[in-house]
Amino acid sequence: MDSYLAKPVSKDALLALVARTMKDRPTVAVLPVRPVLDAQVVDRLEQLGRAAGEDLLGELATLFLADADARVVALRQALAADDAASVFRSAHTMSGASANLGATDLARLCAALETDSEAGNLMGGGAMLEAVEVELGRVRSALGSLIPTP
Amino acid sequence: MKILVVDDESTSRLIALMALRNLGHESHTARDGADAWDTFQSLRPDVVISDWMMPGMTGLELCRKIRADVTGSYTYFVMVTRHGAQNQILQGMAAGADDYLVKPLDPDDLQARLIAAARVTSLPRPMAHQQLESEGQNDGSVKRSPLPAPGSSASKDQSIPSLDSPSGMTRFCR
């Protein structure tokens, strides 16, 4: 227990306790949050689509998300089976697709998994896949706005 | 030009197709090396742009198969590798690739490669044969088709004199 409040709890006592608690906490540096998608890549794809008169970004987002779910399942199964070759193949494909859409952090995480599995090292594979899934969630949210609603 | 894009990953195929369409080329796709080899034989593209890493036949194997087949006109082969894979670039070029691109695909880089491709594929086939022979890549085991006689109707461009004629060499060395 770090502190206590006596009943009946008054508003002032509660606020004072919160203030004291926050004051004692170590200062946490707030890092700037990097955009999920590289603006330069998105801009280039937008230009490419515009020149062709098509919604390239929307089509790419749809394709990417449909494939990504299957890749994550394949990665999970390959890791469970200790199948480094299959992990390598799926991580390689997902890394390339992520880079195509400017999902730089996701591409980097997949590339790390690709490098480790190519060397036959699946020790940290589970944790890396968890990180991939977290980042994929961020990418999914960012891409969601690019997919046209039917 | 007639261009075949080979990649097992859907977003890469779509980006390449869109870029090629914007540049006014006739483009076709294949999802793996085996599919690409079948398409290559029926389509006879001017350019093949192939990913390296594919299930089944890799881009490297596809490149070797295409180089071993000297029938028809010369096909310009561009190998696509991941960023930083220098060893793949070297192996690809040694196997007969004419150039390379790295992923993610940059449309300007693609256009630059295709300018060179248009220049090379417009040359008469004998030059490509001579180059292969000088590089020692044809050991005689590959099936050779008779070359069209210079100026014959089978020649790809009758206005260009063959390099085995004095006027052709003069044109080439100028």
Side-chain angles (χ1 to χ4, degrees):
Chain A
M1 190 176 84
D2 298 300
S3 192
Y4 72 95
L5 279 171
K7 285 185 178 179
V9 178
S10 75
K11 181 182 159 191
D12 288 345
L14 174 62
L15 291 177
L17 176 65
V18 169
R20 271 201 309 277
T21 307
M22 294 307 288
K23 194 178 162 192
D24 293 337
R25 284 168 67 93
T27 307
V28 177
V30 179
L31 297 171
V33 179
R34 196 163 40 179
V36 181
L37 301 177
D38 183 320
Q40 271 189 323
V41 176
V42 170
D43 190 45
R44 196 167 62 197
L45 294 173
E46 263 173 350
Q47 284 181 26
L48 198 57
R50 206 177 303 125
E54 293 202 24
D55 177 20
L56 177 61
L57 263 177
E59 285 182 56
L60 286 173
T62 305
L63 279 175
F64 174 83
L65 292 177
D67 285 351
D69 287 335
R71 295 283 168 208
V72 167
V73 170
L75 280 170
R76 196 177 297 125
Q77 289 172 345
L79 281 169
D82 211 23
D83 180 353
S86 295
V87 172
F88 170 73
R89 224 168 12 250
S90 291
H92 170 81
T93 306
M94 201 158 163
S95 170
S98 305
N100 279 343
L101 276 112
T104 314
D105 284 349
L106 183 56
R108 196 175 299 127
L109 286 167
C110 294
L113 191 52
E114 180 187 345
T115 306
D116 280 3
S117 55
E118 189 175 22
N121 174 18
L122 298 181
M123 288 279 284
M128 288 167 96
L129 180 57
E130 273 181 36
V132 164
E133 289 190 76
V134 169
E135 185 59 22
L136 177 59
R138 296 178 71 215
V139 171
R140 191 189 307 280
S141 302
L143 290 178
S145 60
L146 301 174
I147 298 175
T149 46
Chain B
M1 287 187 291
K2 203 164 27 172
I3 299 175
L4 174 61
V5 174
V6 191
D7 203 307
D8 62 316
E9 199 279 304
S10 56
T11 62
S12 297
R13 282 198 306 274
L14 182 58
I15 291 170
L17 275 185
M18 201 71 70
L20 291 171
R21 193 187 303 169
N22 288 349
L23 292 170
H25 296 291
E26 176 190 332
S27 42
H28 303 260
T29 58
R31 291 163 181 262
D32 55 46
D35 182 18
W37 176 240
D38 289 344
T39 309
F40 171 81
Q41 288 176 300
S42 57
L43 188 70
R44 291 287 159 181
D46 300 300
V47 182
V48 172
I49 300 171
S50 175
D51 189 28
W52 171 286
M53 180 74 62
M54 292 184 293
M57 190 192 299
T58 64
L60 187 70
E61 289 161 342
L62 176 66
C63 180
R64 287 190 177 127
K65 269 179 98 76
I66 288 175
R67 282 293 167 261
D69 177 0
V70 292
T71 56
S73 45
Y74 187 78
T75 298
Y76 197 85
F77 195 102
V78 181
M79 188 70 81
V80 182
T81 71
R82 61 183 165 168
H83 182 72
Q86 299 302 108
N87 60 332
Q88 291 184 353
I89 293 169
L90 289 172
Q91 280 187 67
M93 300 297 275
D98 296 288
D99 212 332
Y100 69 94
L101 283 164
V102 292
K103 284 185 173 183
L105 189 67
D106 182 319
D108 292 337
D109 287 344
L110 174 65
Q111 186 174 9
R113 266 52 171 192
L114 294 178
I115 290 170
R119 197 156 43 227
V120 170
T121 55
S122 69
L123 292 169
R125 179 78 199 215
M127 182 179 173
H129 280 212
Q130 286 173 356
Q131 189 173 342
L132 279 172
E133 282 163 0
S134 69
E135 289 172 0
Q137 291 183 15
N138 271 331
D139 58 4
S141 61
V142 294
K143 185 182 163 194
R144 303 289 300 269
S145 68
L147 297 172
S152 73
S153 59
S155 177
K156 188 172 183 178
D157 186 342
Q158 295 180 42
S159 65
I160 302 174
S162 168
L163 292 177
D164 54 10
S165 70
S167 61
M169 283 312 291
T170 304
R171 182 184 64 79
F172 180 60
C173 298
R174 195 162 51 211

